[in-house]
C-alpha cells in the first residue's frame, strides 16, 4: 500500500514594491548615476543657452546689423559662435538620449540579467517572472519619461528665447530642432526602453541586445521621419512663376499649376533662367503650388507621432510579457503567498 502524496506548503517571502525598487536601483546604480549626471549637465547647458548665451548672441547680432557693412565694425563674434556651438551640442544630447535608453535597456536591464542568471535567481526568491519584468519596466519608464521630458522642455524654452533675436537660430522646421522641441524625445525614449527590454529577453546576450536595440530604434526613428509629413493634413499655397514656390514649414509636395488647373511636378525651381522658362512654357505653367506644414502644425505632428510611438511601445511590452510567460510557464500560487509542490 503506497502512501498518498502529500502537498507541502513552501512559504514564499513577500516582495513588496519598495523593496524591488531599492534592489533595482542598487543593481543599476552606476547607470543611474551616469544618467543623472547626463541630465543635469545637459539641463544646465540648456539653461545657460536660453539665458546668458542667448542675450549675448542677440546683442552681438544687433551690433553687427547696425554696422551697415562698416570695415571698422565692432561686435562680439565669439558670443555668436559660442551660442551656435552650445546649441548644436545640447540639441545632439537631447536627440541621443533615447538611444542611450535603448542601449541600456537591451544591454543591462534585461539582456545582462538574462545572460548572467540574475533574473532566474530573483524568480527563485519569490518574485514571479511577470512581477520581475513589471518592476524592470515601470520604474525606468517613470524616470526616463520625467528626465527626457525635462530636457525637451528646457530645449524648447532655450529655442524660444532666441527665436527672432538670434539671426542664426534654427527655424522651427529644421528637423533636428523640430524633433527636440516637443514630445517626441519622450516617446522615442519610452519606445527605446520597450525595444531594449524585448531584445534582451529574445537574445539573452547583453552586447547583442544592446546593438540590436540601438539599430531597431534607429529604424523606428527613420520610419517616423518618413511618415511624419503625412500624419496631419497639410496646407496648400500657390504663387506666381516669378516668385517661386511659397510656404515656409515642413514640405510634403510641390509642383506647378498649368493653365488648365492641373497640378504637376515642377521641372525646375523658378523661371529666372532661360532653360527653366522654356520647360515651364512647354507645360503651359502659370504658377507654383506647395503642400506644407506651417508652424501651427508643430504640436499636432508631435502629438500624433508620439501617440503612435507610445502605442507601439505598449504592444512591445505586451509581447515581452507573453514571451516571458511562454519561456517560464505559469506559476501557480494559492492565497496567502505560498507556492504548492508535490514531492
Amino acid at each position: 500500500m503506497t502512501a498518498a502524496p502529500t502537498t507541502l506548503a513552501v512559504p514564499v517571502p513577500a516582495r513588496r514594491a519598495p523593496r524591488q525598487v531599492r534592489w533595482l536601483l542598487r543593481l543599476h546604480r552606476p547607470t543611474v548615476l551616469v544618467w543623472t549626471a547626463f541630465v543635469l549637465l545637459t539641463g544646465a547647458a540648456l539653461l545657460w543657452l536660453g539665458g546668458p548665451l542667448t542675450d549675448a548672441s542677440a546683442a552681438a547680432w544687433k551690433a553687427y546689423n547696425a554696422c551697415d557693412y562698416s570695415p571698422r565694425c565692432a561686435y562680439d563674434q565669439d558670443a555668436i559662435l559660442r551660442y551656435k556651438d552650445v546649441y548644436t551640442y545640447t540639441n545632439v544630447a537631447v536627440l541621443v538620449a533615447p538611444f542611450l535608453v535603448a542601449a541600456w535597456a537591451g544591454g543591462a536591464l534585461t539582456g545582462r540579467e538574462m545572460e548572467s542568471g540574475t533574473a532566474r535567481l530573483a524568480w527563485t526568491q519569490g518574485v514571479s517572472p511577470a512581477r520581475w519584468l513589471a518592476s524592470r519596466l515601470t520604474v525606468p519608464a517613470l524616470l526616463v519619461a520625467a528626465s527626457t521630458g525635462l530636457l525637451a522642455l528646457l530645449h524648447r524654452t532655450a529655442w524660444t528665447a532666441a527665436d527672432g533675436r538670434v539671426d542664426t537660430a534654427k527655424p522651427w522646421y529644421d528637423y533636428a530642432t523640430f524633433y527636440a522641441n516637443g514630445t517626441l524625445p519622450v516617446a522615442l525614449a519610452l519606445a527605446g526602453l520597450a525595444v531594449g527590454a524585448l531584445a534582451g529577453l529574445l537574445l539573452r546576450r547583453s552586447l547583442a541586445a544592446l546593438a540590436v536595440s540601438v539599430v531597431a530604434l534607429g529604424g523606428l526613428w527613420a520610419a517616423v521621419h518618413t511618415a511624419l509629413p503625412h500624419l496631419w493634413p497639410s496646407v496648400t499655397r500657390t504663387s506666381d512663376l516669378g516668385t517661386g514656390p511659397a510656404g515656409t514649414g515642413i514640405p510634403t509636395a510641390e509642383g506647378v499649376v498649368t493653365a488648365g488647373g492641373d497640378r504637376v511636378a515642377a521641372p525646375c525651381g523658378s523661371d529666372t533662367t532661360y532653360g527653366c522658362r522654356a520647360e515651364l512654357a512647354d507645360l503651359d505653367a502659370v504658377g507654383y503650388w506647395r503642400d506644407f506644414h506651417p508652424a501651427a502644425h508643430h504640436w499636432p505632428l508631435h502629438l500624433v507621432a508620439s501617440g503612435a510611438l507610445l502605442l507601439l511601445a505598449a504592444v512591445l511590452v505586451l509581447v515581452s510579457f507573453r514571451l516571458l510567460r511562454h519561456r517560464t510557464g505559469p506559476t501557480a500560487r494559492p492565497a496567502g503567498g505560498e507556492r504548492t509542490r508535490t514531492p
Side-chain angles (χ1 to χ4, degrees):
M1 181 174 177
T2 59
T6 58
T7 300
L8 300 180
V10 180
V12 177
R15 297 284 178 172
R16 297 181 180 179
R19 187 174 180 181
Q20 292 190 51
V21 172
R22 288 196 300 269
W23 169 250
L24 179 64
L25 295 177
R26 181 179 301 177
L27 183 63
H28 297 279
R29 181 183 300 171
T31 303
V32 172
L33 293 177
V34 171
W35 178 258
T36 301
F38 169 78
V39 172
L40 291 177
L41 289 175
T42 305
L46 287 169
L47 289 174
W48 185 36
L49 177 70
L53 286 187
T54 295
D55 294 338
S57 183
W61 274 111
K62 184 177 181 180
Y64 175 80
N65 293 329
C67 289
D68 197 20
Y69 302 104
S70 172
R72 297 185 178 181
C73 177
Y75 67 96
D76 191 355
Q77 185 180 22
D78 291 339
I80 295 175
L81 297 177
R82 191 179 304 114
Y83 172 88
K84 183 178 179 180
D85 290 341
V86 175
Y87 182 86
T88 300
Y89 298 146
T90 53
N91 202 70
V92 170
V94 174
L95 297 180
V96 164
F99 289 93
L100 298 179
V101 173
W104 169 75
L109 184 64
T110 55
R112 188 177 64 188
E113 293 199 33
M114 296 295 291
E115 183 179 19
S116 63
T118 307
R120 292 192 175 277
L121 177 62
W123 302 340
T124 63
Q125 301 299 314
V127 180
S128 67
R131 192 171 182 179
W132 170 84
L133 182 58
S135 66
R136 291 306 185 273
L137 291 175
T138 303
V139 177
L142 293 175
L143 296 178
V144 165
S147 54
T148 54
L150 175 63
L151 292 181
L153 175 62
L154 292 176
H155 187 281
R156 175 76 180 177
T157 303
W159 176 84
T160 303
D163 187 32
R165 298 175 59 200
V166 177
D167 289 14
T168 51
K170 295 292 185 179
W172 75 269
Y173 52 86
D174 172 73
Y175 275 113
T177 298
F178 173 82
Y179 285 124
N181 261 358
T183 56
L184 273 172
V186 181
L188 282 167
L190 292 176
L193 178 65
V195 168
L198 179 58
L201 293 175
L202 277 172
L203 301 175
R204 290 181 285 186
R205 295 291 184 270
S206 57
L207 291 179
L210 185 153
V212 169
S213 300
V214 172
V215 172
L217 185 62
L220 182 59
W221 198 345
V224 170
H225 179 74
T226 303
L228 182 71
H230 312 289
L231 296 178
W232 194 259
S234 59
V235 299
T236 302
R237 181 169 297 177
T238 59
S239 57
D240 57 53
L241 293 178
T243 304
T248 301
I250 298 178
T252 59
E254 65 180 42
V256 294
V257 181
T258 66
D262 296 329
R263 303 202 312 179
V264 298
C268 49
S270 68
D271 66 345
T272 57
T273 63
Y274 176 79
C276 187
R277 287 199 300 269
E279 291 185 67
L280 292 175
D282 291 340
L283 290 174
D284 197 17
V286 296
Y288 287 98
W289 62 272
R290 171 177 286 172
D291 292 341
F292 69 102
H293 293 285
H297 290 187
H298 175 272
W299 287 113
L301 288 172
H302 262 279
L303 294 176
V304 173
S306 299
L309 284 171
L310 293 178
L311 179 61
L312 177 61
V315 172
L316 293 177
V317 169
L318 179 61
V319 172
S320 298
F321 277 100
R322 291 291 181 88
L323 175 65
L324 191 62
R325 180 179 176 85
H326 174 73
R327 287 183 172 176
T328 60
T331 302
R333 281 193 179 184
E338 294 181 344
R339 183 183 300 143
T340 61
R341 65 180 177 89
T342 302

